[in-house]
Amino acid sequence: MILKSIHFKKPYNQQEYPFFLPLFQSFQSMTFTKPVTILVGENGTGKSTLLRSVAYAANSISIGSTDQYNEIKPLASSLKLTWSIRSMTGFFLNSEDFVNYVKRLTGMREEAKRNLVEIEKEYQNKSLYAKNLASMPHNRTLGELEHLYEDGLEFRSHGERYLHFFQSRFKPNGLYILDEPEVPLSPMKQLTFISMLKEMVNENAQFIIATHSPMLMAVPDAEIISLDTLPPEKTRFEDLEHVQVTRSFLENPNRYLRYL
């Protein structure tokens, strides 16, 4: 494992957010023994808060706004991370931030193109060397975006751009902390995503994923930790309420729908 464990040292003042959440009142440590760790729990259990805190403490790149880190800095400072190999490869992604990320990339691309047009006008009577020098940072921006995302994430459907992002950004030996990555993905696209995870696990990558998707909970050889139980404990796929309710619903939807 890249990240072996996290340990939580409770602060003196436990009445502030997020320390008063039941999860952090009972939480002491979490050990990672598999390349893929799945965190499950109902809304409000603290999954996202825990992931953000671990990502901040690990100094992970945040795909999206770093404003999300502000409220969890006290919690992150209370976490001690133990590494087998400290990796600076990887990132933290909350699926809700991805739309803003794509918009920011689109803005960067359009701004670089506008600047190049302005440079063509401004430097038309100047040397080619001066024009190339002025154009260099904007051409570099366009080149880097094309290298990562080809024609651009904004020209794909939401699910397709999401998968293309992962294809472009997953690298060997990386630590990837993902909060509900299934949100924009259809069931078939979730299977594609699972295939990506398996491929990257073979390249020594590690994933810590919070999810509500029974399909992602079924990732082969993943370790599942339930945050519905306090303190959190490892559990089996077959014992998860998400799995049991989904299976029961699919077997007989009317059993549930007739009471709504």
Side-chain angles (χ1 to χ4, degrees):
M1 297 306 98
I2 297 170
L3 180 61
K4 294 172 61 177
S5 63
I6 54 177
H7 297 268
F8 176 45
K9 182 180 179 181
K10 294 181 180 179
Y12 291 111
N13 184 0
Q14 299 182 36
Q15 304 306 313
E16 298 179 354
Y17 178 86
F19 299 111
F20 61 73
L21 294 177
L23 170 63
F24 302 111
Q25 291 290 317
S26 65
F27 185 77
Q28 293 182 331
S29 65
M30 186 175 292
T31 302
F32 305 107
T33 62
K34 300 287 183 69
V36 180
T37 301
I38 303 292
L39 303 183
V40 301
E42 283 297 328
N43 294 328
T45 54
K47 299 187 304 299
S48 296
T49 301
L50 178 60
L51 284 189
R52 286 192 182 96
S53 301
V54 173
Y56 187 82
N59 200 28
S60 293
I61 294 172
S62 176
I63 305 300
S65 172
T66 56
D67 292 343
Q68 61 192 304
Y69 282 147
N70 292 336
E71 63 184 12
I72 53 81
K73 287 181 180 179
L75 175 59
S77 65
S78 299
L79 298 179
K80 178 183 178 181
L81 278 56
T82 304
W83 305 82
S84 57
I85 300 174
R86 183 63 184 264
S87 175
M88 298 307 295
T89 303
F91 54 79
F92 167 72
L93 173 66
N94 179 303
S95 60
E96 295 179 356
D97 293 326
F98 187 71
V99 172
N100 291 331
Y101 176 72
V102 173
K103 289 180 179 178
R104 192 165 75 246
L105 291 183
T106 302
M108 290 171 59
R109 186 191 303 273
E110 292 176 349
E111 182 180 8
K113 289 180 177 179
R114 285 196 303 269
N115 288 332
L116 289 174
V117 171
E118 291 299 319
I119 288 171
E120 283 292 331
K121 296 177 182 178
E122 183 179 350
Y123 284 77
Q124 59 183 346
N125 295 322
K126 298 181 181 180
S127 70
L128 180 61
Y129 175 79
K131 184 173 72 172
N132 288 342
L133 195 63
S135 302
M136 188 179 298
H138 311 298
N139 282 322
R140 184 184 299 117
T141 296
L142 292 175
E144 289 174 350
L145 290 176
E146 183 176 355
H147 174 72
L148 282 173
Y149 306 121
E150 298 174 356
D151 57 342
L153 295 175
E154 65 269 29
F155 300 113
R156 303 167 188 264
S157 71
H158 190 32
E160 289 173 340
R161 71 178 61 152
Y162 203 65
L163 287 179
H164 186 68
F165 167 82
F166 288 129
Q167 289 170 338
S168 302
R169 297 293 295 267
F170 280 166
K171 304 295 180 185
N173 305 306
L175 173 64
Y176 299 95
I177 303 174
L178 310 177
D179 191 6
E180 298 185 10
E182 76 277 6
V183 170
L185 300 177
S186 68
M188 288 302 298
K189 290 291 193 294
Q190 289 186 47
L191 290 176
T192 302
F193 178 72
I194 291 172
S195 177
M196 291 182 188
L197 295 186
K198 292 178 63 179
E199 181 179 345
M200 293 312 305
V201 164
N202 292 333
E203 297 284 348
N204 299 315
Q206 181 180 357
F207 295 87
I208 304 173
I209 303 172
T211 183
H212 290 291
S213 167
M215 295 182 71
L216 294 194
M217 295 172 193
V219 169
D221 201 36
E223 186 164 75
I224 303 172
I225 300 178
S226 173
L227 274 61
D228 287 326
T229 303
L230 298 177
E233 64 179 23
K234 299 172 185 178
T235 187
R236 301 188 310 161
F237 174 78
E238 295 81 5
D239 296 334
L240 291 169
E241 183 181 40
H242 293 74
V243 174
Q244 295 172 353
V245 171
T246 301
R247 180 183 290 130
S248 177
F249 178 84
L250 293 176
E251 288 174 352
N252 187 355
N254 288 332
R255 183 189 307 162
Y256 294 84
L257 298 177
R258 65 187 178 186
Y259 294 110
L260 299 180

